[in-house]
Amino acid sequence: MRHILSVLVENKPGVLSRVTGLISRRGFNIESLSVGPTEDPTMSRVTAIVKADDVSYEQITKQLHKLISVHKITDLTNDAAIERELVLFKVNAAPERRNEIIEIANVFRAKIVDVGRNSLTIEATGDENKLKGMEDLFRAYGIKEITRTGKIAMSRNSKD
């Protein structure tokens, strides 16, 4: 099963290494990893997508709780969560087909961030389905390069 783990940690050198090392030492692959400072500059939030059965996942979280630099662990797997990812697509764009590619980007509310002689670089954010849909359409034109951030996630404010 795919688990979305949000871990609030101290914003100090070596903390990310300890968190990811703990997960990988248990033999689990991290599908996606994102880390960044929070509203409190002394804290960072690590968002990790891990494939593990429920028993193994529980062991991972118990071990993470033992790390002094970990302050809070939230499992967003079954919560109503907002998930986003950033993707940059560099797409073959011959001058005669450029308008078609720009139209696709506009439909998905993506931005053209670089224009080359024979390519366009498009920035898009969204959930997995949206980005997969864009990728499928851009493949018809030829994708030169794709780069993605890790997913970030946050629980919805269902009680506000």
Side-chain angles (χ1 to χ4, degrees), residues 3-16:
H3 294 273
I4 304 169
L5 187 63
S6 177
V7 185
L8 191 62
V9 299
E10 292 176 3
N11 189 7
K12 293 182 177 176
V15 172
L16 178 61

Side-chain angles (χ1 to χ4, degrees), residues 3-154:
H3 294 273
I4 304 169
L5 187 63
S6 177
V7 185
L8 191 62
V9 299
E10 292 176 3
N11 189 7
K12 293 182 177 176
V15 172
L16 178 61
S17 177
R18 286 192 293 279
V19 169
T20 57
L22 187 145
I23 294 169
S24 64
R25 275 193 306 278
R26 307 263 170 316
F28 299 103
N29 187 40
I30 299 172
E31 272 187 20
S32 175
L33 180 69
S34 179
V35 63
T38 65
E39 64 284 353
D40 176 355
T42 66
M43 304 298 279
S44 288
R45 183 168 315 279
V46 176
T47 306
I49 311 293
V50 179
K51 278 194 177 178
D53 60 57
D54 289 339
V55 173
S56 300
Y57 180 73
E58 187 177 328
Q59 289 299 312
I60 291 170
T61 57
K62 283 180 181 178
Q63 293 296 314
L64 284 171
H65 275 295
K66 291 180 181 179
L67 294 177
I68 293 170
S69 53
V70 171
H71 288 263
K72 183 178 180 184
I73 300 172
T74 307
D75 183 355
L76 299 174
T77 306
N78 297 319
D79 290 354
I82 302 164
E83 294 179 41
R84 294 292 182 267
E85 186 175 7
L86 169 69
V87 179
L88 294 174
F89 298 98
K90 187 179 290 184
V91 180
N92 289 325
E96 63 274 4
R97 303 205 67 196
R98 206 166 272 218
N99 285 336
E100 297 169 34
I101 296 166
I102 292 170
E103 272 303 309
I104 292 170
N106 288 337
V107 165
F108 285 94
R109 289 186 230 140
K111 293 191 276 187
I112 308 298
V113 293
D114 190 43
V115 178
R117 180 169 277 139
N118 292 304
S119 68
L120 292 173
T121 302
I122 298 121
E123 172 189 310
T125 58
D127 62 23
E128 193 171 338
N129 292 332
K130 174 185 174 179
L131 300 177
K132 177 73 171 112
M134 287 183 71
E135 182 178 339
D136 291 345
L137 290 171
F138 288 148
R139 287 216 180 273
Y141 298 93
I143 296 176
K144 291 182 167 190
E145 191 176 348
I146 296 176
T147 189
R148 323 175 80 103
T149 64
K151 286 185 184 179
I152 56 171
M154 179 183 286

